[in-house]
């Protein structure tokens, strides 16, 4: 306070000498009203005031201001809720650099199709252009409702996370499979295999994954009623050996999902004379076949489902991961494919490194999908302090494979690593040679 009075006196003398508005003793009484304005207008004193305001980052408040002279408040239109949900888009990480295209999509931004008996929403290449190998969808069925009979020119992978479903499929040799799947169970329908899915519980929901990013392209999905509706009835009658009138009520528009009833008879009531899809040919993988296990690092569980334990799944490999609060999926990359992810629960952060000093950090929440480009370095961190992070990672490959940065450095001559990174050789010597997949 004393310093402020000294500043007032000094400023008064300067202003009087410069012919300021303070020109008489009487007007000095109004000086206290003038000085604050003068202080605010002084270009010499302004930096002191600003420095005090920028002592901490405003990014956590949804403003692109790092508190160190970079950035400033948004004064135009903005979506405050999204800004707060994505602090890394505002520049929270000083290590981000260069130009990295968007690698994230929220299924909440997808158009949801409401249908008789359920709904579906998807993420395809037009939503997330970076995802070239894989597209995905969430689909919901009420009890008895079913996804109409169809096939694809791409493979389909499904994961049940609510309820129970009945899957039915036939391959090119006439072998079939009818099976019930509960939470945690998986199916894989190879390219061209005829199939359907029916809801058995009151409410049923699952994740769908396809080994092509452009899933909505014409010529990708074929519905049986759509085909029949666009085939001459005379040809249908000849093909099936029935009267043309049988097809007089075929739906003229693709229903996609149809309401129906649950048949309580034995699921295997439609035997095939050519046999059943079982063993290595089975289209179904039950959760009990791959128990999620703790992995090195002690940060969570990692369950791999690929052609090594699900032989039919030759084009889509998966890992179902849980990560403890504050845990880290270690720095790594995938040598065989781009990685597509679906976040089912929790909050996360990840940085994708694309080489050439290009890196970008993203924030994720439940319902988000993401893609890490082929061979791009990255990590995944659980940013919650009390909630387990759950996600599914997918690869258009026959297997899940990754290379750990820490393991690579640990298995490289110490002096080379030390000289490359300019760190102590003793630090390199202490690196773990075993992958620490999920670090607590």
């Amino acid at each position: 306070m004393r310093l402020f009075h000294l500043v007032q006196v000094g400023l008064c003398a300067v202003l009087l000498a410069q012919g300021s508005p303070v020109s008489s003793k009487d007007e000095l009484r109004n000086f206290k009203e003038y000085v604050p304005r003068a202080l605010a207008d002084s270009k010499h004193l302004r930096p002191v005031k600003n420095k005090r305001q920028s002592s901490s980052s405003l990014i956590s408040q949804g403003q692109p201001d790092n508190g160190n002279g970079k950035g400033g408040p948004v004064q135009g239109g903005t979506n405050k809720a999204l800004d707060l949900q994505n602090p890394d888009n505002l520049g929270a990480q000083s290590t981000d650099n260069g130009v990295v295209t968007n690698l994230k999509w929220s299924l909440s931004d997808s158009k949801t199709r409401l249908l008789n008996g359920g709904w579906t929403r998807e993420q395809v290449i037009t939503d997330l252009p970076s995802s070239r190998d894989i597209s995905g969808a969430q689909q919901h069925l009420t009890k008895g409702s079913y996804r109409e009979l169809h096939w694809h020119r791409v493979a389909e992978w499904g994961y049940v996370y609510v309820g129970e479903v009945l899957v039915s499929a036939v391959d090119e040799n006439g072998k079939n499979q009818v099976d019930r799947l509960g939470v945690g169970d998986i199916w894989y329908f190879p390219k061209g295999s005829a199939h359907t899915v029916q809801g058995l519980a009151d409410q049923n929901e699952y994740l769908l994954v396809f080994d092509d990013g452009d899933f909505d392209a014409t010529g990708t999905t074929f519905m049986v009623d759509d085909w029949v509706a666009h085939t001459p009835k005379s040809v249908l009658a000849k093909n099936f050996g029935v009267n043309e009138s049988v097809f007089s009520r075929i739906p003229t528009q693709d229903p996609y999902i149809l309401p129906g009833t649950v048949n309580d008879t034995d699921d295997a009531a439609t035997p095939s004379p050519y046999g059943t899809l079982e063993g290595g040919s089975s289209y179904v993988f039950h959760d009990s076949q791959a128990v999620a296990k703790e992995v090195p690092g002690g940060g969570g569980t990692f369950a791999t489902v690929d052609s090594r334990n699900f032989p039919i799944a030759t084009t889509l490999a998966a890992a179902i991961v849980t990560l403890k609060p504050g845990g880290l999926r270690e720095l790594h990359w995938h040598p065989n494919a781009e990685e597509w992810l679906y976040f089912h629960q929790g909050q996360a952060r990840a940085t994708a490194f694309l080489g050439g000093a290009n890196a970008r950090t993203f924030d994720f929440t439940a319902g988000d999908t993401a893609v890490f480009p082929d061979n791009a370095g990255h990590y995944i961190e659980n940013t919650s302090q009390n909630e387990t992070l759950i996600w599914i990672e997918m690869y258009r490959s026959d297997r899940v494979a990754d290379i750990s940065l820490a393991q690579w450095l640990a298995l490289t001559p110490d002096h080379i690593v030390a000289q490359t990174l300019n760190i102590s050789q003793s630090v390199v010597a202490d690196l773990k040679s075993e992958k620490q997949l999920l670090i607590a």
Side-chain angles (χ1 to χ4, degrees):
M1 195 66 184
R2 183 178 179 185
L3 178 61
F4 181 71
H5 287 308
L6 289 173
V7 171
Q8 283 183 324
V9 172
L11 185 59
C12 175
V14 172
L15 293 172
L16 286 170
Q18 295 179 347
S20 72
V22 185
S23 58
S24 70
K25 292 182 179 180
D26 291 336
E27 289 178 352
L28 285 174
R29 288 192 296 269
N30 300 322
F31 188 67
K32 288 184 178 179
E33 296 177 7
Y34 176 75
V35 167
R37 294 197 302 273
L39 287 170
D41 292 338
S42 171
K43 65 181 180 180
H44 302 294
L45 297 176
R46 237 181 280 159
V48 177
K49 180 179 179 181
N50 289 345
K51 186 175 181 180
R52 184 178 301 157
Q53 288 182 338
S54 62
S55 60
S56 62
S57 172
L58 297 178
I59 289 175
S60 62
Q61 300 174 34
Q63 296 291 353
D65 186 335
N66 72 355
N68 293 315
K70 288 187 176 181
V74 175
Q75 297 186 325
T78 191
N79 187 322
K80 190 72 170 182
L82 282 180
D83 291 339
L84 291 169
Q85 193 179 91
N86 297 277
D88 288 301
N89 274 349
L90 300 176
Q93 306 303 323
S94 62
T95 48
D96 283 2
N97 190 67
V99 178
V100 176
T101 188
N102 182 45
L103 304 177
K104 166 186 171 180
W105 178 261
S106 172
L107 286 166
S108 294
D109 287 327
S110 298
K111 174 64 176 177
T112 303
R113 293 180 60 187
L114 301 182
L115 302 152
N116 291 322
W119 56 260
T120 189
R121 62 183 184 180
E122 63 186 19
Q123 173 257 295
V124 295
I125 196 167
T126 50
D127 301 312
L128 186 59
S130 302
S131 186
R132 301 177 181 90
D133 288 356
I134 290 177
S135 55
Q138 289 176 309
Q139 200 161 98
H140 187 100
L141 297 175
T142 56
K143 186 172 185 177
S145 298
Y146 58 94
R147 178 69 175 88
E148 64 171 307
L149 295 162
H150 66 286
W151 75 97
H152 308 290
R153 67 163 178 82
V154 300
E156 174 183 313
W157 185 97
Y159 178 87
V160 182
Y161 54 81
V162 171
E164 184 182 23
V165 300
L166 182 74
V167 299
S168 174
V170 178
D171 75 355
E172 72 273 21
N173 299 311
K175 291 185 177 182
N176 73 343
Q177 185 169 14
V178 181
D179 204 344
R180 288 174 176 257
L181 283 74
V183 172
D185 291 341
I186 295 168
W187 71 78
Y188 176 90
F189 299 136
K191 172 182 178 178
S193 294
H195 60 275
T196 187
V197 182
Q198 183 180 35
L200 299 180
D202 288 340
Q203 305 295 335
N204 312 274
E205 201 166 303
Y206 44 85
L207 176 71
L208 292 173
V209 179
F210 306 95
D211 60 359
D212 191 326
D214 196 11
F215 180 72
D216 276 352
T218 300
T220 300
T221 300
F222 307 87
M223 317 290 189
V224 67
D225 53 0
D226 186 25
W227 189 16
V228 169
H230 294 90
T231 302
K233 288 185 173 58
S234 61
V235 174
L236 294 172
K238 186 180 292 186
N239 186 79
F240 294 107
V242 297
N243 191 281
E244 290 185 25
S245 62
V246 169
F247 303 101
S248 61
R249 299 176 61 187
I250 293 295
T252 57
Q253 290 186 339
D254 165 28
Y256 204 84
I257 290 175
L258 292 165
T261 57
V262 175
N263 189 343
D264 292 328
T265 59
D266 185 5
D267 296 337
T270 310
S272 169
Y274 305 102
T276 303
L277 293 165
E278 56 188 1
S281 299
S282 176
Y283 289 177
V284 172
F285 184 95
H286 288 284
D287 180 53
S288 59
Q289 294 175 248
V291 178
K293 57 184 179 181
E294 290 279 346
V295 293
T301 62
F302 199 92
T304 300
V305 182
D306 59 22
S307 61
R308 291 170 290 190
N309 56 1
F310 191 18
I312 197 67
T314 57
T315 67
L316 285 168
I320 296 89
V321 188
T322 69
L323 185 61
K324 296 176 182 178
L328 180 75
R329 170 79 161 96
E330 67 169 337
L331 289 159
H332 66 284
W333 71 92
H334 305 283
N336 57 333
E338 73 178 30
E339 177 181 3
W340 183 91
L341 305 98
Y342 159 75
F343 290 93
H344 185 66
Q345 175 183 297
Q347 298 177 342
R349 174 171 55 226
T351 300
F353 168 66
L354 274 59
N358 293 291
R360 181 177 173 184
T361 305
F362 296 86
D363 302 285
F364 301 102
T365 190
D368 286 346
T369 65
V371 61
F372 296 128
D374 194 348
N375 273 271
H378 58 280
Y379 65 87
I380 301 173
E381 184 179 16
N382 184 349
T383 54
S384 172
Q385 296 304 308
N386 49 35
E387 184 178 24
T388 298
L389 178 66
I390 302 174
W391 77 87
I392 296 175
E393 51 190 62
M394 303 291 307
Y395 310 89
R396 192 170 74 179
S397 177
D398 63 341
R399 72 194 191 285
V400 175
D402 68 61
I403 295 178
S404 160
L405 175 59
Q407 184 183 55
W408 174 35
L409 299 182
L411 299 176
T412 299
D414 293 356
H415 69 284
I416 295 178
V417 176
Q419 292 170 19
T420 299
L421 298 178
N422 194 26
I423 60 176
S424 169
Q425 194 165 328
S426 62
V427 172
V428 181
D430 288 337
L431 294 175
K432 293 182 172 63
S433 60
E434 182 183 28
K435 286 183 181 180
Q436 303 296 296
L437 272 78
L438 304 174
I439 302 171

